[in-house]
Amino acid sequence: MSEVNRGSRVGGWTRFVTARPRLSLLAALVITALAVFAGSGVGDRMGSGGWEDPAASSTYATKALEREFPASQPNLLLLVDAGGKGVDDPAVAAEARRLTERLAAEDGVVGVGSYWQTRAPALRAEDGGEALIAARIVGTEKEAGETLERIAPEFRGTQGSLDVSVGGPVAVRHEMQAIIQEDLLRAELIALPVTLVLLVMVFGSAIAALLPLGIGIVAILGTNAVLRGITEITDVSVFAQNLTTALGLGLAVDYALFIVRRFREELAEGVDVRDAVGTTLRTAGRTVLFSALTVAVSLAAMMVFPQYFLRSFAYAGIAVVLLAAAAALILLPAALMLLGHRVNSLDLRRLFGKGRKKPVPGDGTADGTLDGTSGGWGRTAALVMRRAPLFAVATATGLVLLGLPFLGVKFGTADDRQLPSSAEARVVQEDIRSGFPGSPGGGLEVLGEGGATAAEYADYRDRVAALPDVLRVDGPVVSGDHAYFTVLPRGEAVDQDTQRLVRELRAEPAAFDTSVTGTAAVLVDSKDAIGDRLPLAAGIIVVVTLLLVFLLTGSVLIPIQAVALNALSLTAMFGAVVWVFQDGHLSGFLGFTPTGDIETTLPVLMFCVAFGLSMDYGVFLISRIKEEYDRSGDHERSVIFGLQRTGGLITAAAVILAVVMVAIGTSRVTNTMMLGLGIALAVVMDAMVVRSLLVPAVMKLTGRATWWAPGPLRRFHDRFGVSEGGSHPAALAGGTDGTGGSDGAVSGAGERDKVGV
């Protein structure tokens, strides 16, 4: 490509981002410093819940019971160990009553009750050595956490002759939040240096390796500031911080790798720095923009769900994706303008006698030329395309088989077993689970409103007690026009029988208005909310992805292939999630407790994140194939070229992102471990199996039809779409491969390249 042609492509955007590079970087430094200040303490303002639907019947009943009957909804439990004397010992009883009175006197604590006051069998261990004091801490999650922090040290440990441990839902949430923040810091300390080492290995140059890391830090700090602002107006899950770190580093590395690599390619071909930046933005920059949009759309789809756990990941994900892309498209070009050829400085590989003759990483050739099969990735693509049916069938079949365990998925709710076995809140719940009668946490509360006679309450209680899945019914407890019953199921807290019982209770006629809550009821409502909105979320992802990929390629078939192959690449992740985390394989090695189910929102979250990241790599590959096809008009050559030029890049980016996700997956909280390790697997499978084997095989099978579009869509793309690179006459006319004409493939970039970047 001539210097004149390159120079003519340098347009308004290039001039804007490179006009004042020092000023741009200084402004970024100031904004980043302000983001550090604005985002400080964001983790302390986040919640650790958010799995329930705020508009559900169970949520309404929970709030009503908290308001009318605080003692019915205890979220704080003090496990009192009598120290061998037995809980009915007079001295133990006296000390326990004083402890109960102290707790009742604390601000923010209501509904205090204990075994020594009520003599309820459910509050006494079967061996008589332990008993419970139950209470409710009122307020929001943040307020309840602050109250717990204030009072827990006063009640934990030795109290006279008693030994007291603090548990209950509020303690589980608070401890989970603290552990997640500690684990996130550790993950960052692991991921940052390992990422830097890998980047140095990819680029050789220490200067080039520092650029993606800088972009990632800017994106992470900026997103923390955004999340800090969002916490002022709505709830945000603490789990979202993990996504911020992972995507901030991962996407910054992806985008910077793509841009820096293309910039170094241009420099290696003798282009001056400014024109190299212009060409890089016109080609790799457009790809980064489209990639960012596809990832953001996948994450934004979680906004349609009512649970703030899922919505939080949309907030964090959209912010970090857009900030990473903005930094890559604004700050990175400014830095490249200032560095110029110094971007190749400090080639650390020369210390080991492995310096490169040519500073272009990952092109797959010894001399930077392309002969159609040169380089490892080029040879791989050529081999796959020669045996396309075999590779397509074998790869697709293998991925489907890996996903089969997901057919046996069982959905549940997160509980104390998410915590490490040494966590105090979990120890308390384990003691209650194993040593106290009944099914702790498995009871259902039925709220009655509107008032009724004693006979009507009794009739309702008798009919509920006769249901086949009911073990016992306690109540009613009446206060004015409100009453509640406690229904103990025969089964476990959230098994299928108990979920069926929730629906039976809601269908049971009564002389008063009823609503049901409890762990199983929350699960039923959460599943219903996700099931109702899942088609909408999937539709948004699919439709917008199809549109964006069409605008990038002008092909009808490529967007369909991209969506189908992306979905196929996620099968291994979903199969592994069930096989490992539900069924418990490798639980000893990974150090978690399997519960026999998967938290309901996790598959949705993992799908949206992993699908977006898969599209990220897909756009990188497709855009380079399209660039060569626009230039040469040779379909097979274009596929080989695209894989040769991006195969190493995508693999390096995937490995780095997988390292970050594995670092997140070292968390001691099971859901975070599942998220990190599951997405790491999905990313690796997508880059090393789908992009390397399945995509070239499928594109070989579809052949020239790959680039076909009907006339109206082709004209739409000619007007609104984008393309990269110069156009070969064959591509423009469709003369050599039959893709031109009124119904042929989209025309090349010649006309569209009149608008510079």
Side-chain angles (χ1 to χ4, degrees):
M1 188 179 295
S2 70
E3 291 293 321
V4 173
N5 195 18
R6 289 180 187 276
S8 68
R9 305 274 176 90
V10 175
W13 182 249
T14 301
R15 288 192 294 271
F16 172 75
V17 300
T18 61
R20 300 285 191 276
R22 288 183 177 84
L23 182 60
S24 297
L25 295 177
L26 179 61
L29 182 62
V30 172
I31 293 172
T32 302
L34 293 175
V36 172
F37 174 77
S40 61
V42 63
D44 296 332
R45 301 183 59 83
M46 292 179 164
S48 54
W51 291 284
E52 68 280 353
D53 176 4
S57 171
S58 58
T59 305
Y60 169 80
T62 297
K63 292 180 177 179
L65 287 169
E66 178 183 346
R67 182 181 64 250
E68 301 294 338
F69 305 98
S72 71
Q73 295 282 294
N75 58 9
L76 174 65
L77 298 174
L78 300 185
L79 179 65
V80 179
D81 188 336
K85 295 182 180 179
V87 295
D88 295 314
D89 181 86
V92 169
E95 187 69 42
R97 290 191 185 96
R98 287 192 292 270
L99 190 65
T100 304
E101 291 169 0
R102 282 174 50 203
L103 182 60
E106 293 286 348
D107 293 336
V109 180
V110 299
V112 179
S114 70
Y115 164 73
W116 296 275
Q117 291 175 321
T118 65
R119 294 291 171 177
L123 298 179
R124 179 182 182 276
E126 293 176 336
D127 64 4
E130 295 173 321
L132 293 172
I133 301 174
R136 182 165 190 85
I137 300 179
V138 297
T140 63
E141 282 187 23
K142 181 177 182 297
E143 292 167 344
E146 291 173 347
T147 301
L148 180 69
E149 283 186 341
R150 173 173 55 83
I151 67 175
E154 302 297 325
F155 292 90
R156 178 184 290 120
T158 302
Q159 303 289 329
S161 61
L162 309 178
D163 186 66
V164 180
S165 301
V166 179
V170 69
V172 170
R173 287 197 303 268
H174 188 265
E175 199 157 1
M176 187 178 295
Q177 187 169 358
I179 290 174
I180 286 173
Q181 292 186 52
E182 293 173 4
D183 291 347
L184 180 60
L185 177 60
R186 187 183 70 251
E188 291 172 344
L189 294 176
I190 295 171
L192 286 172
V194 174
T195 298
L196 180 58
V197 170
L198 291 173
L199 287 171
V200 170
M201 293 173 63
V202 171
F203 282 121
S205 163
I207 298 297
L210 287 171
L211 294 175
L213 210 57
I215 297 299
I217 291 172
V218 169
I220 292 169
L221 295 176
T223 303
N224 282 338
V226 171
L227 292 178
R228 175 64 175 77
I230 294 175
T231 60
E232 296 290 340
I233 56 178
T234 189
D235 293 320
V236 179
S237 172
V238 69
F239 288 93
Q241 277 194 299
N242 295 287
L243 186 70
T244 297
T245 296
L247 288 185
L249 279 177
L251 292 177
V253 166
D254 289 355
Y255 300 157
L257 273 174
F258 206 60
I259 288 175
V260 173
R261 182 203 183 281
R262 188 56 182 262
F263 177 73
R264 296 174 79 186
E265 267 187 45
E266 297 299 318
L267 290 183
E269 293 180 7
V271 181
D272 67 63
V273 172
R274 186 175 181 82
D275 286 349
V277 171
T279 301
T280 298
L281 286 176
R282 182 180 55 80
T283 55
R286 283 175 171 173
T287 301
V288 165
L289 178 61
F290 271 77
S291 172
L293 290 175
T294 57
V295 177
V297 167
S298 294
L299 297 171
M302 287 185 284
M303 291 288 290
V304 307
F305 298 102
Q307 294 91 338
Y308 86 73
F309 175 80
L310 288 175
R311 297 172 70 91
S312 298
F313 285 92
Y315 306 146
I318 293 171
V320 77
V321 169
L322 296 183
L323 285 171
L329 295 175
I330 299 174
L331 302 183
L332 190 54
L336 294 175
M337 278 291 295
L338 293 176
L339 289 171
H341 288 275
R342 287 173 295 179
V343 73
N344 298 317
S345 300
L346 298 179
D347 190 343
L348 301 182
R349 292 178 298 190
R350 291 180 179 176
L351 298 175
F352 307 97
K354 298 181 180 179
R356 295 174 65 97
K357 296 179 181 179
K358 171 177 179 18
V360 182
D363 64 2
T365 67
D367 60 1
T369 63
L370 176 68
D371 66 7
T373 60
S374 60
W377 290 105
R379 288 191 294 271
T380 298
L383 172 63
V384 170
M385 296 181 79
R386 283 198 301 270
R387 301 286 187 269
L390 174 63
F391 278 98
V393 172
T395 305
T397 302
L399 290 171
V400 170
L401 291 175
L402 289 174
L404 288 180
F406 192 72
L407 297 177
V409 66
K410 298 176 182 177
F411 295 110
T413 57
D415 60 21
D416 59 279
R417 289 170 290 181
Q418 293 281 316
L419 296 171
S421 58
S422 59
E424 180 187 26
R426 176 173 173 177
V427 171
V428 170
Q429 296 302 123
E430 291 282 11
D431 281 355
I432 295 173
R433 189 178 290 112
S434 61
F436 285 69
S439 177
L444 300 170
E445 285 79 36
V446 180
L447 172 68
E449 297 179 285
T453 65
E456 289 171 330
Y457 284 137
D459 175 66
Y460 178 78
R461 181 189 60 211
D462 293 342
R463 283 187 284 110
V464 168
L467 294 174
D469 294 315
V470 172
L471 178 64
R472 189 177 77 245
V473 180
D474 296 330
V477 177
V478 181
S479 176
D481 290 340
H482 296 79
Y484 80 91
F485 302 81
T486 300
V487 180
L488 296 179
R490 294 185 182 276
E492 296 296 326
V494 293
D495 65 11
Q496 293 300 315
D497 291 340
T498 305
Q499 293 179 52
R500 183 173 62 249
L501 177 59
V502 170
R503 301 189 187 280
E504 291 172 350
L505 289 173
R506 288 172 172 171
E508 188 68 29
F512 43 89
D513 295 329
T514 62
S515 51
V516 182
T517 187
T519 305
V522 171
L523 174 59
V524 168
D525 290 337
S526 180
K527 288 168 63 176
D528 288 347
I530 290 174
D532 290 344
R533 293 163 176 81
L534 193 59
L536 175 60
I540 291 172
I541 292 173
V542 170
V543 170
V544 178
T545 298
L546 290 173
L547 176 61
L548 289 173
V549 177
F550 172 77
L551 290 175
L552 183 65
T553 64
S555 162
V556 170
L557 193 57
I558 288 178
I560 297 172
Q561 287 179 357
V563 170
L565 298 186
N566 274 13
L568 191 60
S569 73
L570 306 185
T571 54
M573 176 186 71
F574 284 123
V577 161
V578 171
W579 191 77
V580 175
F581 290 95
Q582 175 179 296
D583 299 340
H585 299 97
L586 303 180
S587 59
F589 174 74
L590 295 174
F592 69 91
T593 301
T595 59
D597 52 47
I598 301 296
E599 204 284 317
T600 313
T601 59
L602 257 294
V604 175
L605 168 63
M606 296 176 75
F607 173 82
C608 292
V609 174
F611 187 90
L613 293 174
S614 296
M615 279 305 308
D616 188 41
Y617 300 136
V619 168
F620 286 174
L621 176 58
I622 290 169
S623 66
R624 207 64 197 266
I625 294 173
K626 179 64 165 62
E627 178 182 347
E628 176 63 13
Y629 182 76
D630 283 344
R631 190 189 68 81
S632 70
D634 188 323
H635 174 66
E636 291 192 23
R637 173 188 173 90
S638 300
V639 175
I640 294 173
F641 176 93
L643 188 60
Q644 177 178 315
R645 287 300 178 98
T646 63
L649 183 75
I650 290 173
T651 301
V655 169
I656 292 172
L657 180 56
V659 166
V660 176
M661 295 307 306
V662 168
I664 298 294
T666 63
S667 175
R668 293 165 291 170
V669 175
T670 306
N671 274 355
T672 306
M673 182 188 300
M674 185 191 311
L675 177 67
L677 298 182
I679 293 178
L681 176 61
V683 165
V684 171
M685 292 295 293
D686 181 76
M688 297 186 176
V689 177
V690 174
R691 303 301 152 201
S692 302
L693 303 177
L694 196 54
V695 169
V698 171
M699 293 191 80
K700 168 66 175 179
L701 294 175
T702 54
R704 297 171 180 175
T706 300
W707 306 102
W708 177 84
L713 288 181
R714 178 174 54 79
R715 289 188 289 273
F716 176 85
H717 179 267
D718 287 342
R719 182 171 182 181
F720 299 106
V722 298
S723 186
E724 299 178 357
S727 298
H728 188 279
L732 287 168
T736 61
D737 66 359
T739 57
S742 60
D743 296 328
V746 295
S747 53
E751 289 298 316
R752 291 181 296 278
D753 283 342
K754 292 178 181 178
V755 181
V757 176

